[in-house]
Amino acid sequence: MATTGSVHLGAVDLHCEPNNTEHHTDEIGTERLIVRRGQAFRLSVEFRRPAFVDGKDQLKLFLDTGPSSSEAGRIRIEAVKSTAKRGKWTYDVEPARGILRLTVRSPANACIGLYTMQLLFYPGGGEGLQQIGAGTFHLLFNPWCKEDSVYLADKDLLEEYVLNENGIVYRSICLPLLWNFGQFEKDVIDICFEILDNSLSALKEPSSDALKRCDPCYISRILTAMVNSNDDKGVLSGRWDGEYDDGTPPTKWNGSLPILRKWSSSGAERVRYGQCWVFAAVACTVLRCLGIPTRCVTNYSSAHDCDGNLKVDHYIKSDDCTRMLPSRKDSVWNYHCWVESWMTRPDLP
């Protein structure tokens, strides 16, 4: 706490339980503040003066987010009074007996992540300013907000694609697999942001990556790349040869939590092993946790196009009409799994 005079501001109450309930995050827990963008949340601060004189006393709210390892790389946002135009972080102050009630609103395109709040109080009498830390919160995408690019109007779909922690992943028509997504377990939100922080983009240019976290398309691409460990510090290592003695066979998994927790507790070491349905289910957990409506999809007789021409090519010798084997062979798999996520796509024509 920084102060150059009397202490006017005291304890801050983040009202985690009512805020989290209103923001559909209370299943994660109510011990810390977790809110969704484009929607107001409330906090109150102890006020040790007889009265707050609007027009003379000033209270300012600052928010910090971005890379935590570098002060210079952090993103600082000054919230403005709610009369400002949309697209800004705004706040209202309502004085009451012994407290100041604040209503804070994030824009519907704000960057998701961990935020730290600072309050600065400038008393009208000139006694000197006071600065206090006002706590932290996580901000997620908001499929309940019409202005958010992940908005989903159908309540039944919201229940299934965001809130449902259990479901079925289809490997074959005859072998549906019950899967525990577990996106609201208390530690999963931290692991989700840990995955983002370990991506190649975040490690190479952390400030630039933080600024792009407003975009669900960007987040989706980062996460689907990070679910496998081909060329980064991703979560799962894939294997298809049946040799699983140094890990867990893909068929033995029935939930995302053991995989995510193992990856996190090992210091971002890849977890052995996964195949398409495991990759899809883990990605579904992370995307749902961050607020992007998502489901697992299975396609049967799934064409595997190696050269990007959207065809399955067969090569025939001209002399005897026998098949040739190209260096990269197109094929048709008996099935393939991936995720389908809901968002607007302004990047498409």
Side-chain angles (χ1 to χ4, degrees):
M1 179 177 69
T3 182
T4 59
S6 302
V7 176
H8 308 290
L9 303 180
V12 177
D13 186 347
L14 298 179
H15 302 292
C16 296
E17 185 170 355
N19 279 322
N20 289 11
T21 301
E22 290 178 10
H23 285 251
H24 305 277
T25 62
D26 52 306
E27 287 195 49
I28 300 175
T30 55
E31 295 80 21
R32 54 178 169 169
L33 184 59
I34 304 170
V35 294
R36 299 184 185 276
R37 64 186 194 174
Q39 184 175 342
F41 63 93
R42 295 161 186 83
L43 56 97
S44 58
V45 56
E46 182 185 1
F47 190 57
R48 300 169 180 170
R49 286 168 64 89
F52 182 89
V53 183
D54 197 16
K56 292 185 177 180
D57 295 331
Q58 293 186 51
L59 185 71
K60 292 191 175 183
L61 171 65
F62 293 90
L63 305 104
D64 292 327
T65 189
S68 58
S69 59
S70 170
E71 239 357 280
R74 288 184 183 176
I75 302 163
R76 167 151 284 202
I77 301 163
E78 180 179 355
V80 296
K81 289 295 183 68
S82 62
T83 53
K85 61 182 181 181
R86 295 167 65 180
K88 301 283 187 181
W89 282 85
T90 65
Y91 70 103
D92 285 324
V93 180
E94 179 188 347
R97 186 179 180 86
I99 61 171
L100 298 176
R101 296 191 180 102
L102 277 73
T103 301
V104 183
R105 298 175 184 84
S106 61
N109 63 348
C111 296
I112 65 167
L114 178 66
Y115 285 77
T116 300
M117 293 183 287
Q118 300 284 336
L119 288 172
L120 272 72
F121 178 67
Y122 301 86
E127 299 97 321
L129 68 87
Q130 181 190 1
Q131 176 179 332
I132 64 168
T136 63
F137 64 91
H138 280 93
L139 187 71
L140 305 178
F141 293 109
N142 192 353
W144 285 268
C145 174
K146 290 183 178 180
E147 281 113 18
D148 197 312
S149 54
V150 302
Y151 173 65
L152 188 57
D154 191 303
K155 291 183 179 179
D156 291 335
L157 295 184
L158 283 167
E159 188 69 35
E160 178 62 30
Y161 295 171
V162 180
L163 298 178
N164 191 4
E165 293 193 82
N166 296 283
I168 296 175
V169 178
Y170 287 90
R171 289 182 293 157
S172 71
I173 296 175
C174 299
L175 290 174
L177 175 65
L178 296 176
W179 194 272
N180 173 235
F181 296 106
Q183 68 268 27
F184 295 134
E185 293 294 318
K186 290 184 179 180
D187 55 339
V188 170
I189 186 172
D190 301 302
I191 298 173
C192 292
F193 283 107
E194 186 181 353
I195 292 171
L196 290 175
D197 291 341
N198 276 279
S199 71
L200 293 178
S201 298
L203 294 174
K204 185 178 180 181
E205 297 181 2
S207 296
S208 175
D209 170 77
L211 288 170
K212 293 176 183 176
R213 293 187 184 183
C214 61
D215 182 3
C217 299
Y218 175 79
I219 293 293
S220 299
R221 291 193 177 104
I222 292 293
L223 289 175
T224 52
M226 283 294 292
V227 165
N228 73 69
S229 60
N230 286 348
D231 53 5
D232 49 32
K233 300 174 73 174
V235 176
L236 273 163
S237 177
R239 192 157 190 170
W240 291 265
D241 60 6
E243 300 294 330
Y244 308 122
D245 291 342
D246 58 341
T248 301
T251 54
K252 295 297 184 182
W253 302 112
N254 61 9
S256 303
L257 297 180
I259 297 169
L260 292 169
R261 286 169 175 164
K262 187 172 184 178
W263 176 83
S264 178
S265 64
S266 68
E269 288 290 327
R270 60 181 179 170
V271 177
R272 300 178 175 90
Y273 288 102
Q275 291 183 12
C276 62
W277 72 91
V278 186
F279 293 128
V282 172
C284 184
T285 293
V286 178
L287 289 162
R288 284 184 183 181
C289 180
L290 296 179
I292 299 176
T294 302
R295 66 174 177 174
C296 294
V297 175
T298 302
N299 183 53
Y300 298 99
S301 298
S302 187
H304 183 55
D305 178 25
C306 293
D307 54 12
N309 65 358
L310 300 182
K311 299 177 183 178
V312 176
D313 297 315
H314 300 283
Y315 295 86
I316 307 295
K317 292 181 181 179
S318 59
D319 52 353
D320 59 3
C321 293
T322 58
R323 289 190 63 176
M324 298 172 57
L325 295 178
S327 57
R328 298 189 68 186
K329 183 182 177 183
D330 288 348
S331 59
V332 177
W333 296 354
N334 55 347
Y335 71 92
H336 185 49
C337 303
W338 63 90
V339 292
E340 177 185 78
S341 296
W342 183 275
M343 67 194 73
T344 58
R345 293 295 303 274
D347 57 314
L348 297 178

